[in-house]
Amino acid sequence: MNRGETGLAGVMGWPVAHSKSPRLHGFWLQQLNVDGAYLSLPVSPEKLLDKVAGLPALGFRGVNLTIPHKEAVMPLCENLDETARRIGAVNTIVVEEDGALQGINTDAFGFIENLRQNSSWTAAAGAAVLLGAGGAARAVAVALSDAGVRDLRIVNRTSERVQTLIGSTAIKNASFVSWDERHQALDGAALVVNATSLGMQGNPSLDLNLDALPTTAVVNDIVYAPLQTPLLAAATARSNPVVDGLGMLLYQAVPSFEAWFGVRPDVTKELREFVLA
Ligand code: NAP
């Protein structure tokens, strides 16, 4: 296989112009003086198979996958790591030396690393409330379960999605809470995570009454556009520690960059500012 001197990687999505990944990986390539390039790769669903299959021949080290390819790419990978299998999505392909495609998922790592680096949260602190059961919530649920959370309360509008999530990720100690009971579910919790799309630019706000939540509980919104969501503003107003969603995006990129380019990059204040600018 021809893997040229210059390491090639990129992000496949449809559309992909909005992705912050080229800026993020581009920052590290320059900062760490790596001979590499990270490209924005618009790939329509019909072309996914051909484009992914062509990666080894083109000398790519790998790619990130974003909407709508994270699930569809799974059968195209020769090897899938256990986390990707449980989450049911691949966000990173690594082209191995022999040209085989390895599918991994770094979103669970990104979520938990962001939480740990930006708060004093520990799994032993108590119950965690997760709002949402979509793609991102699956990664959060796996991360919290693997971190040792004993009481994971998953709140979602559609109950079937939570049952599927719990069954297919094989997470333990999780229970379903109906959408109507979300306010009371906060009682005694040590962590609240919003993994719904509510609060995101162009979407309605998340309607969540924080009265039952201890003021020591960490509130994490994985929505990062806007950075300060109405949920984080309400939590800050009552002195709860808060963690925003941009860090998850930055940390999920660390293992991918390392796998492709052989150097482990750091998430720094400068990187955050560069990606936001
Ligand atoms: P998704 O698969 O479409 O899931 C959306 C979730 O939001 C579902 O649980 C859905 O509930 C819920 N929801 C949507 N509208 C609702 C409403 N009106 N009332 C109640 N619940 C509602 O989306 P996703 O990919 O998981 O992404 C979710 C959010 O996470 C997005 O804002 C995305 O930007 C963000 N995200 C952030 C990162 C990061 O790195 N920080 C990474 C990935 C995603 P139902 O199941 O009932 O439909």
Side-chain angles (χ1 to χ4, degrees):
M1 194 183 62
N2 175 23
R3 287 164 68 117
E5 282 292 300
T6 302
L8 283 180
V11 54
M12 291 184 171
W14 189 257
V16 76
H18 66 279
S19 173
K20 292 189 188 298
S21 293
R23 203 166 162 78
L24 165 51
H25 287 280
F27 179 92
W28 282 331
L29 285 170
Q30 196 176 19
Q31 182 199 41
L32 299 166
N33 212 11
V34 171
D35 180 8
Y38 185 101
L39 312 171
S40 179
L41 302 165
V43 174
S44 65
E46 316 76 80
K47 294 278 169 63
L48 182 68
L49 195 154
D50 287 348
K51 303 256 169 144
V52 167
L55 289 171
L58 287 168
F60 269 70
R61 307 269 171 96
V63 283
N64 283 128
L65 288 311
T66 187
I67 291 168
H69 300 320
K70 285 185 176 189
E71 289 90 19
V73 82
M74 292 182 75
L76 311 180
C77 299
E78 276 96 347
N79 309 308
L80 279 180
D81 81 342
E82 183 58 19
T83 308
R85 222 182 274 280
R86 287 169 68 206
I87 295 171
V90 159
N91 76 337
T92 303
I93 286 179
V94 179
V95 180
E96 293 170 351
E97 287 291 336
D98 62 359
L101 303 178
Q102 193 199 10
I104 62 176
N105 191 308
T106 64
D107 284 335
F109 168 83
F111 165 77
I112 208 80
E113 196 63 14
N114 180 40
L115 185 59
R116 286 189 169 136
Q117 295 293 335
N118 291 296
S119 76
S120 56
W121 176 85
T122 63
V129 177
L130 167 61
L131 296 124
R138 294 178 65 87
V140 173
V142 165
L144 290 175
S145 170
D146 288 359
V149 168
R150 292 227 171 141
D151 176 6
L152 177 59
R153 307 169 187 169
I154 308 181
V155 182
N156 199 50
R157 183 178 57 175
T158 313
S159 68
E160 297 78 39
R161 233 171 159 188
V162 179
Q163 308 307 346
T164 307
L165 184 160
I166 293 174
S168 58
T169 54
I171 58 172
K172 298 198 173 63
N173 306 320
S175 56
F176 165 67
V177 179
S178 74
W179 189 248
D180 289 345
E181 290 167 40
R182 63 194 182 282
H183 315 290
Q184 300 93 295
L186 304 181
D187 195 6
L191 174 70
V192 182
V193 181
N194 175 39
T196 72
S197 42
L198 295 171
M200 196 169 94
Q201 251 158 29
N203 285 9
S205 296
L206 170 64
D207 169 21
L208 186 64
N209 183 336
L210 300 180
D211 285 353
L213 185 71
T215 52
T216 49
V218 176
V219 178
N220 179 192
D221 203 329
I222 73 157
V223 169
Y224 58 81
L227 207 49
Q228 161 99 312
T229 60
L231 171 66
L232 294 187
T236 302
R238 65 198 294 281
S239 302
N240 284 88
V242 298
V243 177
D244 69 45
L246 183 64
M248 176 175 170
L249 179 80
L250 304 181
Y251 281 105
Q252 61 79 32
V254 170
S256 313
F257 187 95
E258 185 180 22
W260 300 324
F261 302 114
V263 193
R264 193 163 182 89
D266 287 326
V267 172
T268 57
K269 202 164 150 275
E270 291 70 38
L271 174 71
R272 254 182 87 90
E273 281 162 11
F274 181 78
V275 170
L276 277 175

